[in-house]
Amino acid sequence: MKKAKRILVFAILAAMLLSLCSCGMFRTHVAKAAIKMSKLDSLHADVEMQIGMGISVLGQDVNADAAITGGADIQRDPERVYVNMNAEVAGFEQNMLLYAVGRDDGFDVYSSADSGDSWTKDSIENDDSSKNSKADGKSLFLLLSDSAASFKEYGKEKVNGSDAIRYNGKITSDELKQALELADVKQSLEESLDVELDDDVFEYLGDVPVSIWIDVKSGMIVRVEMDMSDVMQGLVPVLVDKAMEKADIGIGVNTKVYEVTVSITLSEFDAVQVTKPTTLNIG
């Protein structure tokens, strides 16, 4: 749980830092938005991830397409998070709930894979790993700011029923590789999958196209979209092969990722109050 959370936190941090990487008018707009959003006590995020993937086992092709959609309510004080996600994989659907409560020395995390009928508790303790990590906000900001020149204004579109200016840009493969290395993602993957990855695992991941929308009236960042297709096409087959090797499974398995897109839409700024799910029985 701790390793998965570390990777998820990095992904969200990277997405937000991307919004701080540009020049000219875009830099001005996003700098103002970042200041406003840093002062928020709460917000809602709608997340959509589409995955196009196929698996071939002994010459038999299996459709492994997946879609993950849902929402997250995030509150700073007191520190609470509630996530309600629906996952559809190869035609099978599952509802996943997560409720996290912050405390001085970490988080208590309650999760449910049956729409809240039963819950499992996990504790995430603060340790020195985050302090010792090479990835702090400043270093990632300076690295990803190299993408500045790629962001250009695309036009005005509606987000949450309001006008927003869209900017398109990208993170290059080299910038992504350095960011992943700074965040110790290789170590996190190795520990979570119990495998040993080659040093050049992030060498040829491809670029990440990014779009960012800034609301005209509020000046807030209201949407971030990323196309992770090239990245996952290079990374997922490697992870699958390593996992199969670790499990000593000798049959031929080929994994092909066709498309991976992520969309995060932000709303309800300072209007969210996270409360305990009604089916969760805790004090």
Side-chain angles (χ1 to χ4, degrees), residues 48-94:
E48 180 177 351
M49 176 181 289
Q50 298 290 335
I51 304 171
M53 186 169 67
I55 300 175
S56 178
V57 182
L58 296 176
Q60 294 294 113
D61 294 332
V62 178
N63 182 355
D65 290 351
I68 300 174
T69 59
D73 291 328
I74 304 167
Q75 181 177 309
R76 176 181 294 178
D77 187 18
E79 197 169 13
R80 295 174 181 171
V81 176
Y82 176 68
V83 178
N84 186 337
M85 290 287 180
N86 292 300
E88 181 178 348
V89 182
F92 296 94
E93 296 185 15
Q94 185 173 32

Side-chain angles (χ1 to χ4, degrees), residues 236-252:
V236 170
V238 173
L239 298 180
V240 171
D241 288 347
K242 289 292 185 180
M244 297 288 286
E245 181 181 330
K246 177 68 177 181
D248 197 23
I249 299 176
I251 62 173

Side-chain angles (χ1 to χ4, degrees), residues 207-275:
D207 299 337
V208 179
V210 181
S211 294
I212 297 165
W213 286 258
I214 299 178
D215 185 75
V216 173
K217 185 175 181 179
S218 69
M220 296 286 195
I221 299 167
V222 290
R223 180 174 291 165
V224 178
E225 290 186 355
M226 296 179 288
D227 186 341
M228 306 288 292
S229 301
D230 287 350
V231 173
M232 294 305 177
Q233 285 168 4
L235 186 58
V236 170
V238 173
L239 298 180
V240 171
D241 288 347
K242 289 292 185 180
M244 297 288 286
E245 181 181 330
K246 177 68 177 181
D248 197 23
I249 299 176
I251 62 173
V253 177
N254 294 317
T255 306
K256 176 66 175 178
V257 178
Y258 303 103
E259 181 182 31
V260 178
T261 58
V262 180
S263 174
I264 303 172
T265 302
L266 305 176
S267 62
E268 299 183 50
F269 302 116
D270 275 342
V272 171
Q273 185 173 3
V274 180
T275 57

Side-chain angles (χ1 to χ4, degrees), residues 158-212:
K158 292 286 187 181
V159 178
N160 300 327
S162 180
D163 288 335
I165 303 297
R166 175 176 177 173
Y167 298 89
N168 291 344
K170 69 178 181 180
I171 296 181
T172 67
S173 176
D174 287 343
E175 292 160 356
L176 177 64
K177 174 178 177 291
Q178 294 178 63
L180 293 173
E181 290 174 347
L182 278 172
D184 290 328
V185 172
K186 177 176 177 288
Q187 178 183 345
S188 296
L189 288 172
E190 288 178 329
E191 293 177 1
S192 61
L193 298 175
D194 191 24
V195 299
E196 185 174 342
L197 300 175
D198 296 336
D199 291 338
D200 62 352
V201 65
F202 301 135
E203 194 69 33
Y204 307 106
L205 292 184
D207 299 337
V208 179
V210 181
S211 294
I212 297 165

